[in-house]
Coordinates of all heavy atoms in Angstrom, one line a residue:
M563 N 73.5 119.4 105.3 CA 73.8 118.0 105.1 C 72.5 117.3 105.0 O 71.6 117.4 105.9 CB 74.6 117.5 106.3 CG 75.1 116.2 106.2 SD 76.2 115.7 107.6 CE 77.5 116.9 107.3
A564 N 72.3 116.6 104.0 CA 71.1 115.9 103.7 C 71.0 114.6 104.5 O 72.0 113.9 104.7 CB 70.9 115.6 102.2
P565 N 69.8 114.2 104.9 CA 69.7 112.9 105.6 C 69.9 111.8 104.6 O 69.9 112.0 103.4 CB 68.2 112.9 106.1 CG 67.5 113.9 105.2 CD 68.6 114.9 104.8
L566 N 70.1 110.6 105.1 CA 70.3 109.4 104.3 C 69.0 109.1 103.5 O 67.9 109.3 104.0 CB 70.7 108.2 105.1 CG 72.1 108.2 105.7 CD1 72.3 107.0 106.5 CD2 73.2 108.2 104.6
P567 N 69.2 108.6 102.3 CA 68.0 108.2 101.5 C 67.3 107.0 102.2 O 68.0 106.3 103.0 CB 68.5 107.9 100.1 CG 70.0 107.6 100.3 CD 70.4 108.4 101.5
N568 N 66.1 106.7 101.8 CA 65.4 105.5 102.2 C 64.9 105.5 103.6 O 64.7 104.4 104.2 CB 66.2 104.2 101.8 CG 66.5 104.1 100.4 OD1 65.7 104.5 99.5 ND2 67.7 103.6 100.1
A569 N 64.8 106.6 104.2 CA 64.3 106.7 105.6 C 62.9 106.1 105.7 O 62.5 105.5 106.7 CB 64.3 108.1 106.1
E570 N 62.2 106.3 104.6 CA 60.8 105.7 104.5 C 60.8 104.2 104.6 O 59.7 103.6 104.9 CB 60.0 106.3 103.3 CG 60.6 105.7 102.0 CD 61.8 106.5 101.4 OE1 62.2 107.5 102.0 OE2 62.3 106.1 100.4
L571 N 61.9 103.6 104.3 CA 61.9 102.1 104.3 C 62.1 101.5 105.8 O 62.1 100.3 105.9 CB 63.0 101.6 103.4 CG 62.9 101.9 101.9 CD1 64.1 101.4 101.1 CD2 61.6 101.4 101.4
V572 N 62.4 102.4 106.7 CA 62.6 102.0 108.1 C 61.3 101.5 108.7 O 60.4 102.3 108.9 CB 63.3 103.1 109.0 CG1 63.4 102.7 110.4 CG2 64.6 103.4 108.4
K573 N 61.2 100.2 109.0 CA 59.9 99.7 109.5 C 60.0 99.1 110.9 O 59.0 98.9 111.6 CB 59.4 98.6 108.6 CG 59.2 99.1 107.2 CD 58.1 100.1 107.1 CE 57.8 100.5 105.7 NZ 57.2 101.8 105.5
N574 N 61.3 98.8 111.4 CA 61.4 98.2 112.7 C 62.6 98.8 113.4 O 63.3 99.6 112.9 CB 61.5 96.6 112.6 CG 62.7 96.2 111.8 OD1 63.8 96.6 112.1 ND2 62.5 95.2 110.9
S575 N 62.7 98.4 114.7 CA 63.7 99.0 115.5 C 65.2 98.7 115.1 O 66.0 99.6 115.1 CB 63.5 98.6 117.0 OG 63.6 97.2 117.1
L576 N 65.4 97.5 114.6 CA 66.8 97.2 114.1 C 67.1 98.1 112.9 O 68.2 98.6 112.8 CB 66.9 95.8 113.8 CG 68.3 95.3 113.3 CD1 69.4 95.6 114.3 CD2 68.3 93.8 113.0
Q577 N 66.2 98.2 112.0 CA 66.4 99.1 110.8 C 66.7 100.5 111.2 O 67.5 101.2 110.6 CB 65.3 99.0 109.8 CG 65.1 97.7 109.1 CD 63.9 97.5 108.3 OE1 62.9 98.3 108.5 NE2 63.8 96.6 107.4
L578 N 65.9 101.0 112.2 CA 66.1 102.3 112.7 C 67.4 102.5 113.3 O 68.1 103.5 113.0 CB 65.0 102.7 113.7 CG 65.1 104.0 114.4 CD1 65.0 105.1 113.4 CD2 64.1 104.2 115.5
Y579 N 67.9 101.6 114.1 CA 69.2 101.6 114.8 C 70.3 101.7 113.7 O 71.2 102.6 113.8 CB 69.4 100.4 115.6 CG 70.6 100.3 116.5 CD1 70.7 101.1 117.6 CD2 71.7 99.5 116.2 CE1 71.8 101.1 118.4 CE2 72.8 99.5 116.9 CZ 72.9 100.3 118.1 OH 74.0 100.3 118.9
R580 N 70.2 100.9 112.7 CA 71.2 101.0 111.6 C 71.2 102.3 110.9 O 72.2 102.9 110.6 CB 71.0 99.8 110.6 CG 71.4 98.5 111.2 CD 71.1 97.4 110.2 NE 71.4 96.1 110.8 CZ 71.0 94.9 110.3 NH1 70.1 94.9 109.3 NH2 71.3 93.8 110.9
Y581 N 70.0 102.8 110.6 CA 69.8 104.1 109.9 C 70.4 105.2 110.7 O 71.2 106.0 110.1 CB 68.3 104.3 109.6 CG 68.0 105.7 109.1 CD1 68.2 105.9 107.7 CD2 67.6 106.7 109.9 CE1 67.9 107.2 107.2 CE2 67.4 108.0 109.4 CZ 67.5 108.2 108.1 OH 67.3 109.5 107.5
L582 N 70.1 105.2 112.0 CA 70.7 106.3 112.8 C 72.2 106.3 113.0 O 72.8 107.3 112.9 CB 70.0 106.3 114.2 CG 68.5 106.6 114.2 CD1 67.9 106.4 115.6 CD2 68.2 108.0 113.7
L583 N 72.7 105.1 113.1 CA 74.2 105.0 113.1 C 74.9 105.4 111.8 O 75.9 106.0 111.8 CB 74.6 103.6 113.5 CG 74.3 103.2 115.0 CD1 74.8 101.7 115.3 CD2 74.9 104.1 116.0
R584 N 74.2 105.1 110.7 CA 74.7 105.5 109.4 C 74.7 107.1 109.3 O 75.6 107.7 108.8 CB 74.0 104.9 108.2 CG 74.4 103.5 107.9 CD 73.8 103.0 106.6 NE 73.2 101.7 106.9 CZ 71.9 101.5 106.9 NH1 71.0 102.4 106.6 NH2 71.4 100.3 107.2
C585 N 73.6 107.7 109.9 CA 73.5 109.1 109.9 C 74.7 109.7 110.7 O 75.3 110.7 110.3 CB 72.2 109.6 110.5 SG 70.8 109.4 109.4
C586 N 75.0 109.1 111.8 CA 76.1 109.5 112.7 C 77.4 109.6 111.9 O 78.2 110.5 112.1 CB 76.2 108.7 113.9 SG 74.9 108.9 115.1
K587 N 77.6 108.6 111.0 CA 78.9 108.6 110.3 C 79.0 109.8 109.4 O 80.2 110.1 109.0 CB 78.9 107.3 109.4 CG 79.2 106.0 110.2 CD 79.3 104.8 109.3 CE 79.5 103.6 110.2 NZ 79.6 102.4 109.3
Q588 N 77.9 110.4 109.0 CA 78.0 111.6 108.1 C 78.3 112.9 108.8 O 78.5 113.9 108.2 CB 76.7 111.7 107.3 CG 76.5 110.6 106.3 CD 75.2 110.9 105.5 OE1 74.4 111.8 105.8 NE2 75.1 110.1 104.4
L589 N 78.2 112.9 110.1 CA 78.5 114.1 110.9 C 79.9 114.6 110.7 O 80.8 113.7 110.6 CB 78.1 113.9 112.3 CG 76.6 113.7 112.5 CD1 76.3 113.3 114.0 CD2 75.8 114.9 112.1
P590 N 80.2 115.9 110.8 CA 81.5 116.4 110.4 C 82.6 116.1 111.4 O 83.8 115.9 111.0 CB 81.3 117.9 110.3 CG 80.1 118.2 111.1 CD 79.2 116.9 111.0
E591 N 82.4 116.1 112.7 CA 83.5 116.0 113.7 C 83.3 114.8 114.5 O 82.2 114.4 114.8 CB 83.5 117.2 114.6 CG 83.7 118.6 113.9 CD 83.7 119.7 114.8 OE1 84.0 119.5 116.0 OE2 83.4 120.8 114.3
E592 N 84.5 114.2 114.9 CA 84.5 112.9 115.6 C 83.8 113.1 117.0 O 83.0 112.2 117.3 CB 85.9 112.4 115.8 CG 86.0 111.1 116.6 CD 85.3 110.0 115.9 OE1 85.2 110.0 114.7 OE2 84.8 109.1 116.6
N593 N 84.0 114.2 117.7 CA 83.3 114.3 119.0 C 81.8 114.4 118.8 O 81.0 113.9 119.7 CB 83.9 115.4 119.8 CG 83.7 116.8 119.1 OD1 83.4 116.9 117.9 ND2 83.9 117.8 119.9
I594 N 81.3 115.0 117.8 CA 79.9 115.1 117.5 C 79.4 113.7 117.2 O 78.3 113.3 117.7 CB 79.6 116.1 116.4 CG1 80.0 117.5 116.8 CG2 78.1 116.0 116.0 CD1 79.9 118.5 115.7
R595 N 80.1 113.0 116.3 CA 79.7 111.6 116.0 C 79.6 110.7 117.2 O 78.6 110.0 117.4 CB 80.7 111.0 115.0 CG 80.6 111.6 113.6 CD 81.4 110.8 112.6 NE 82.8 110.8 112.8 CZ 83.6 111.7 112.2 NH1 83.1 112.6 111.4 NH2 84.9 111.7 112.5
Q596 N 80.6 110.8 118.1 CA 80.6 110.0 119.3 C 79.4 110.4 120.2 O 78.7 109.5 120.8 CB 81.9 110.2 120.1 CG 83.0 109.5 119.5 CD 84.3 109.8 120.2 OE1 84.3 110.5 121.2 NE2 85.4 109.2 119.8
H597 N 79.1 111.6 120.3 CA 78.0 112.1 121.1 C 76.6 111.5 120.6 O 75.9 110.9 121.4 CB 77.9 113.6 121.1 CG 76.6 114.1 121.8 ND1 76.4 114.2 123.1 CD2 75.5 114.6 121.2 CE1 75.2 114.6 123.4 NE2 74.6 114.9 122.2
Y598 N 76.4 111.6 119.3 CA 75.1 111.1 118.8 C 75.1 109.6 118.8 O 74.0 109.0 119.0 CB 74.8 111.7 117.4 CG 74.3 113.1 117.6 CD1 75.1 114.2 117.2 CD2 73.1 113.4 118.1 CE1 74.6 115.5 117.4 CE2 72.6 114.7 118.3 CZ 73.4 115.8 117.9 OH 72.9 117.0 118.1
R599 N 76.2 108.9 118.5 CA 76.2 107.4 118.6 C 75.8 107.0 120.0 O 75.0 106.1 120.2 CB 77.6 106.9 118.3 CG 77.8 106.7 116.8 CD 79.0 105.8 116.5 NE 80.2 106.2 117.2 CZ 81.2 106.9 116.6 NH1 81.1 107.2 115.3 NH2 82.2 107.2 117.3
H600 N 76.4 107.7 121.0 CA 76.1 107.3 122.4 C 74.6 107.6 122.7 O 73.9 106.8 123.3 CB 76.9 108.2 123.4 CG 76.6 107.9 124.8 ND1 77.0 106.8 125.5 CD2 76.0 108.7 125.7 CE1 76.6 106.9 126.7 NE2 76.0 108.0 126.9
A601 N 74.1 108.7 122.2 CA 72.7 109.0 122.4 C 71.7 108.0 121.8 O 70.7 107.6 122.4 CB 72.4 110.4 121.9
V602 N 72.1 107.5 120.6 CA 71.3 106.5 119.9 C 71.3 105.2 120.7 O 70.2 104.6 120.9 CB 71.9 106.3 118.5 CG1 71.3 105.0 117.9 CG2 71.6 107.5 117.6
R603 N 72.5 104.8 121.2 CA 72.5 103.6 121.9 C 71.7 103.7 123.2 O 71.0 102.7 123.6 CB 74.0 103.2 122.2 CG 74.7 102.8 121.0 CD 76.2 102.5 121.2 NE 76.8 102.0 120.0 CZ 77.9 102.6 119.6 NH1 78.5 103.5 120.2 NH2 78.4 102.1 118.4
Q604 N 71.9 104.8 123.9 CA 71.1 105.0 125.2 C 69.6 105.0 124.9 O 68.9 104.4 125.7 CB 71.5 106.3 125.9 CG 72.9 106.3 126.4 CD 73.1 105.2 127.5 OE1 73.8 104.2 127.2 NE2 72.5 105.3 128.6
S605 N 69.2 105.6 123.9 CA 67.8 105.6 123.6 C 67.2 104.2 123.3 O 66.1 103.9 123.7 CB 67.5 106.6 122.4 OG 66.1 106.7 122.1
F606 N 68.0 103.4 122.6 CA 67.6 102.1 122.3 C 67.5 101.2 123.6 O 66.6 100.4 123.8 CB 68.4 101.4 121.3 CG 67.9 101.7 119.9 CD1 68.3 102.9 119.3 CD2 67.1 100.8 119.2 CE1 67.8 103.2 118.0 CE2 66.6 101.1 118.0 CZ 67.0 102.2 117.4
K607 N 68.4 101.5 124.5 CA 68.4 100.8 125.8 C 67.1 101.2 126.6 O 66.5 100.3 127.2 CB 69.6 101.0 126.6 CG 70.8 100.4 126.1 CD 72.1 100.7 126.9 CE 73.3 100.1 126.3 NZ 74.5 100.5 127.0
V608 N 66.8 102.4 126.6 CA 65.6 102.9 127.3 C 64.3 102.3 126.7 O 63.4 102.0 127.5 CB 65.5 104.5 127.2 CG1 64.2 105.0 127.7 CG2 66.7 105.1 128.0
H609 N 64.2 102.2 125.4 CA 63.0 101.7 124.8 C 63.0 100.2 124.4 O 62.1 99.7 123.7 CB 62.7 102.5 123.5 CG 62.5 104.0 123.8 ND1 61.3 104.4 124.4 CD2 63.2 105.1 123.5 CE1 61.4 105.7 124.5 NE2 62.5 106.1 124.0
A610 N 64.0 99.5 124.9 CA 64.1 98.1 124.5 C 62.9 97.2 124.9 O 62.6 96.2 124.3 CB 65.4 97.5 125.2
D611 N 62.2 97.6 126.0 CA 61.1 96.7 126.5 C 59.8 97.2 125.9 O 58.7 96.6 126.3 CB 61.1 96.7 128.0 CG 60.9 98.1 128.6 OD1 61.0 99.1 127.9 OD2 60.6 98.2 129.8
E612 N 59.8 98.1 125.0 CA 58.5 98.6 124.4 C 57.9 97.5 123.5 O 58.6 96.9 122.7 CB 58.8 99.8 123.5 CG 57.6 100.5 123.0 CD 56.8 101.1 124.2 OE1 57.3 102.0 124.9 OE2 55.6 100.8 124.2
D613 N 56.6 97.2 123.7 CA 56.0 96.1 123.0 C 54.7 96.5 122.2 O 54.2 95.7 121.5 CB 55.7 94.9 123.9 CG 54.9 95.2 125.0 OD1 54.5 96.4 125.2 OD2 54.6 94.3 125.8
D614 N 54.3 97.8 122.4 CA 53.1 98.3 121.7 C 53.5 98.7 120.3 O 54.3 99.7 120.1 CB 52.6 99.5 122.5 CG 51.3 100.1 121.8 OD1 50.7 99.4 121.0 OD2 51.0 101.2 122.2
P615 N 53.0 98.0 119.3 CA 53.4 98.3 117.9 C 53.1 99.8 117.5 O 53.9 100.4 116.8 CB 52.5 97.4 117.0 CG 52.1 96.3 118.0 CD 52.1 96.9 119.3
E616 N 52.0 100.3 118.0 CA 51.7 101.7 117.6 C 52.7 102.7 118.2 O 53.2 103.6 117.6 CB 50.3 102.1 118.1 CG 49.8 103.4 117.7 CD 48.4 103.7 118.1 OE1 47.6 102.8 117.9 OE2 48.1 104.8 118.6
R617 N 53.1 102.4 119.5 CA 54.1 103.3 120.2 C 55.5 103.1 119.5 O 56.2 104.1 119.3 CB 54.2 102.9 121.6 CG 55.3 103.6 122.4 CD 54.9 105.1 122.6 NE 56.0 105.7 123.4 CZ 56.6 106.8 123.1 NH1 56.2 107.5 122.0 NH2 57.6 107.3 123.8
I618 N 55.8 101.9 119.0 CA 57.1 101.7 118.4 C 57.1 102.5 117.1 O 58.1 103.2 116.8 CB 57.3 100.2 118.1 CG1 57.5 99.5 119.4 CG2 58.5 100.0 117.1 CD1 57.5 98.0 119.3
Q619 N 56.0 102.5 116.3 CA 56.0 103.3 115.1 C 56.1 104.8 115.4 O 56.7 105.6 114.6 CB 54.7 103.0 114.3 CG 54.7 101.6 113.7 CD 55.9 101.4 112.8 OE1 56.3 102.2 112.0 NE2 56.6 100.2 113.1
Q620 N 55.5 105.3 116.5 CA 55.6 106.7 116.9 C 57.1 107.0 117.2 O 57.6 108.1 116.8 CB 54.8 107.0 118.1 CG 53.3 107.0 117.9 CD 52.5 107.1 119.2 OE1 53.1 107.0 120.3 NE2 51.2 107.4 119.0
I621 N 57.8 106.1 117.9 CA 59.2 106.3 118.2 C 60.0 106.4 117.0 O 60.9 107.2 116.8 CB 59.6 105.2 119.2 CG1 58.9 105.4 120.6 CG2 61.2 105.3 119.4 CD1 59.1 104.2 121.5
I622 N 59.8 105.5 116.0 CA 60.5 105.4 114.8 C 60.3 106.7 114.0 O 61.3 107.3 113.5 CB 60.1 104.2 113.9 CG1 60.6 102.9 114.6 CG2 60.6 104.3 112.5 CD1 60.1 101.6 113.9
K623 N 59.1 107.1 113.9 CA 58.8 108.4 113.1 C 59.5 109.6 113.8 O 60.1 110.4 113.1 CB 57.3 108.6 113.1 CG 56.9 109.8 112.3 CD 55.3 110.0 112.3 CE 54.9 111.1 111.5 NZ 54.9 112.4 112.2
R624 N 59.4 109.7 115.1 CA 60.1 110.8 115.8 C 61.6 110.7 115.7 O 62.2 111.8 115.5 CB 59.6 110.8 117.3 CG 60.3 111.9 118.1 CD 59.8 113.3 117.5 NE 60.6 114.3 118.1 CZ 60.2 115.1 119.1 NH1 58.9 115.0 119.5 NH2 60.9 116.1 119.6
A625 N 62.2 109.6 115.8 CA 63.6 109.4 115.7 C 64.1 109.8 114.3 O 65.2 110.5 114.2 CB 64.0 108.0 116.0
I626 N 63.4 109.5 113.2 CA 63.8 109.9 111.9 C 63.7 111.4 111.7 O 64.6 112.0 111.1 CB 63.0 109.1 110.8 CG1 63.4 107.7 110.8 CG2 63.2 109.7 109.4 CD1 62.5 106.8 110.0
E627 N 62.6 112.0 112.3 CA 62.5 113.5 112.2 C 63.6 114.1 112.9 O 64.2 115.1 112.5 CB 61.1 113.9 112.8 CG 59.9 113.5 112.0 CD 58.6 113.7 112.7 OE1 58.6 114.1 113.9 OE2 57.6 113.5 112.0
D628 N 63.9 113.6 114.1 CA 65.0 114.2 114.9 C 66.4 114.1 114.1 O 67.2 115.0 114.2 CB 65.1 113.5 116.3 CG 64.0 113.9 117.2 OD1 63.2 114.9 116.8 OD2 63.8 113.3 118.2
A629 N 66.6 112.9 113.5 CA 67.8 112.7 112.8 C 67.9 113.7 111.6 O 69.0 114.2 111.3 CB 67.9 111.3 112.3
D630 N 66.8 113.9 110.9 CA 66.8 114.9 109.8 C 67.1 116.3 110.4 O 67.9 117.0 109.7 CB 65.4 114.9 109.1 CG 65.1 113.7 108.3 OD1 66.0 112.9 108.1 OD2 63.9 113.5 108.0
W631 N 66.6 116.6 111.5 CA 66.9 117.9 112.1 C 68.4 118.0 112.4 O 69.0 119.1 112.1 CB 66.1 118.1 113.4 CG 66.3 119.4 114.0 CD1 65.8 120.6 113.7 CD2 67.2 119.7 115.1 NE1 66.2 121.6 114.5 CE2 67.1 121.1 115.4 CE3 68.1 118.9 115.8 CZ2 67.9 121.7 116.4 CZ3 68.8 119.5 116.8 CH2 68.7 120.9 117.1
V632 N 69.0 117.0 113.0 CA 70.4 117.0 113.4 C 71.2 117.1 112.1 O 72.2 117.9 112.1 CB 70.8 115.8 114.2 CG1 72.3 115.7 114.3 CG2 70.2 115.8 115.6
M633 N 70.9 116.4 111.1 CA 71.7 116.4 109.9 C 71.6 117.7 109.1 O 72.6 118.1 108.5 CB 71.2 115.3 108.9 CG 71.3 113.9 109.5 SD 73.0 113.4 109.9 CE 73.7 113.1 108.3
N634 N 70.5 118.5 109.3 CA 70.4 119.8 108.7 C 70.9 120.9 109.5 O 70.9 122.0 109.1 CB 68.9 120.0 108.3 CG 68.5 119.1 107.2 OD1 69.2 118.8 106.2 ND2 67.3 118.6 107.2
K635 N 71.2 120.6 110.7 CA 71.7 121.7 111.7 C 73.0 122.2 111.4 O 73.8 121.8 110.7 CB 71.7 121.0 113.1 CG 72.0 121.9 114.2 CD 71.7 121.2 115.5 CE 73.0 120.8 116.2 NZ 72.8 120.4 117.5

């Protein structure tokens, strides 16, 4: 399963959130979709107070890489 196109256009946390939720919609089974949607939401809650722009870009890059891995799994 290929990741969604335009991952390179994700520049901020809201765009990342939307991208990851769209990736979840492509997963094959409902229980898997629910699991990853929950994980995405929890991760955003954990990192909500992050204010270092460099760290935010690291988190975005890693989240997209992780999403690609999940989608190809």
Side-chain angles (χ1 to χ4, degrees):
M563 187 173 298
L566 288 175
N568 300 324
E570 67 278 357
L571 299 178
V572 174
K573 301 295 183 206
N574 62 47
S575 57
L576 181 60
Q577 291 172 340
L578 176 64
Y579 187 73
R580 289 176 180 163
Y581 172 82
L582 294 175
L583 290 180
R584 279 190 233 112
C585 286
C586 290
K587 287 182 181 181
Q588 291 186 347
L589 295 171
E591 297 178 26
E592 181 60 29
N593 61 343
I594 295 172
R595 287 191 294 268
Q596 288 178 355
H597 170 77
Y598 283 107
R599 275 195 308 260
H600 178 73
V602 166
R603 289 180 180 127
Q604 289 301 109
S605 183
F606 272 82
K607 288 178 184 177
V608 168
H609 296 292
D611 61 346
E612 188 66 56
D613 57 359
D614 179 17
E616 186 175 315
R617 176 70 178 132
I618 292 170
Q619 289 306 311
Q620 290 173 346
I621 292 169
I622 290 172
K623 182 177 183 280
R624 178 62 191 257
I626 291 172
E627 290 171 357
D628 291 347
D630 289 348
W631 181 83
V632 169
M633 299 300 287
N634 290 322
K635 186 167 105 167

